[in-house]
Amino acid sequence: MTIHNLYIFDRGGSCLFYSEWHRRRPPGIPQEEEFKLMFGMLFSLRSFVAKMSPTDMRDGFVSFHTSRYRLHYLETPTGLRLVLNTDLGVANAREALQHIYSNLFVELVVKNPQCPPRAPVQSLLFRQRLDAFVRSLPYFGPRNP
Amino acid sequence: MADEALFLLLHSEMVAGLYRAAEQGEGENGRCTTKLESMGFRVGQGLIERFTKDTARFKDELDIMKFICKDFWTTVFKKQIDNLRTNHQGIYVLQDNKFRLLTQMSAGKQYLEHAPKYLAFTCGLIRGGLSNLGIKSIVTAEVSSMPACKYLKYSIISPL
């Protein structure tokens, strides 16, 4: 059970924050490209889910999984998108993402006068607290062999 | 205070707005700090009037400083001053180890050079409060490591 990495995108598609803990495979493409790819995929998936949903939509797109990892997604009313990649042992990371948003991002980035809105997050305090929080999660374990 | 977040965000925007205006128009950095401090001064005068309307007269300057450290700070920032030192000759040092307006910014050295901007208003607040209680003073602040900060208050000695 482990957590791979976290992305935070704003409404326009720029990546505000990225952090990784256990990434096994290097992406093979430059980071800029990777962010654009991720955002584009999320955008398409969201609108696909909205259009093709057979029942009434409640939360919209929440997560997808492959045979190796699961991607969890949270979108806030202000258009901020949080993406967390974990391994398959984690069924639902919505609360963790919600906590990261309301208790860490809002407190330490939105309320920080030195962090202008929609700009990449430079605050070290945010990075430290996020790291501590993620490491304290019950499903953050050592690397699986 | 009605809502902490409200004051925090308003204060951040005040500082940012003043500095933006200074960049576009006239003025150097020093004037912005002075403007912020005078704003705080006027607000402090009004606030202290409101907070002390039911309390008894203060015995002496030390008593006034203790009031500032406990009741005034609690009402404005929801906590007390952590340490008050004096030389009994008019100089007081108030130390707050987790200053409310700085806790969100950093916990160490990042953004240290920007910290004084956010302390100017509070310096004025203290000075205004003291002036309305009858003490003329100069208040300065310093930050060595976020979010702890120290306020120094010097009395202006006037002949009685």
Side-chain angles (χ1 to χ4, degrees), chain A:
Chain A
M1 298 254 273
T2 180
I3 294 184
H4 299 296
N5 49 12
L6 172 80
Y7 303 75
I8 301 185
F9 292 99
D10 80 341
R11 208 178 329 162
S14 41
C15 183
L16 302 182
F17 185 80
Y18 171 72
S19 176
E20 65 184 30
W21 288 272
H22 290 137
R23 188 171 194 158
R24 310 290 166 71
R25 225 181 107 255
I29 47 175
Q31 220 179 37
E32 281 298 309
E33 296 285 320
E34 186 190 323
F35 293 153
K36 280 196 237 171
L37 198 63
M38 174 67 84
F39 184 78
M41 184 272 296
L42 289 172
F43 187 81
S44 317
L45 255 181
R46 258 187 73 240
S47 55
F48 174 85
V49 163
K51 290 196 185 105
M52 305 289 270
S53 173
T55 58
D56 287 327
M57 224 175 59
R58 228 176 34 137
D59 291 323
F61 170 53
V62 167
S63 82
F64 76 67
H65 71 96
T66 72
S67 47
R68 294 300 230 159
Y69 74 92
R70 183 170 269 135
L71 178 141
H72 306 262
Y73 175 76
L74 178 75
E75 180 166 346
T76 71
T78 55
L80 201 76
R81 290 140 212 250
L82 291 96
V83 178
L84 187 71
N85 285 332
T86 67
D87 77 342
L88 291 172
V90 185
N92 191 335
R94 208 161 172 77
E95 275 148 37
L97 281 172
Q98 186 64 49
H99 181 272
I100 293 178
Y101 175 65
S102 34
N103 299 52
L104 294 175
F105 191 80
V106 169
E107 287 299 315
L108 301 172
V109 177
V110 173
K111 288 190 182 172
N112 185 341
Q114 294 297 128
C115 286
R118 325 237 343 223
V121 176
Q122 311 280 15
S123 164
L124 291 175
L125 187 61
F126 175 69
R127 195 172 274 275
Q128 280 166 2
R129 292 266 177 92
L130 177 71
D131 199 54
F133 172 69
V134 167
R135 283 175 199 278
S136 75
L137 285 169
Y139 37 82
F140 184 89
R143 300 170 63 118
N144 288 333

Side-chain angles (χ1 to χ4, degrees), chain B residues 57-71:
Chain B
R57 274 183 83 99
F58 294 108
K59 290 197 294 287
D60 60 8
E61 203 175 282
L62 185 59
D63 218 33
I64 295 183
M65 293 313 291
K66 285 200 212 161
F67 173 80
I68 300 263
C69 293
K70 291 201 208 141
D71 303 311

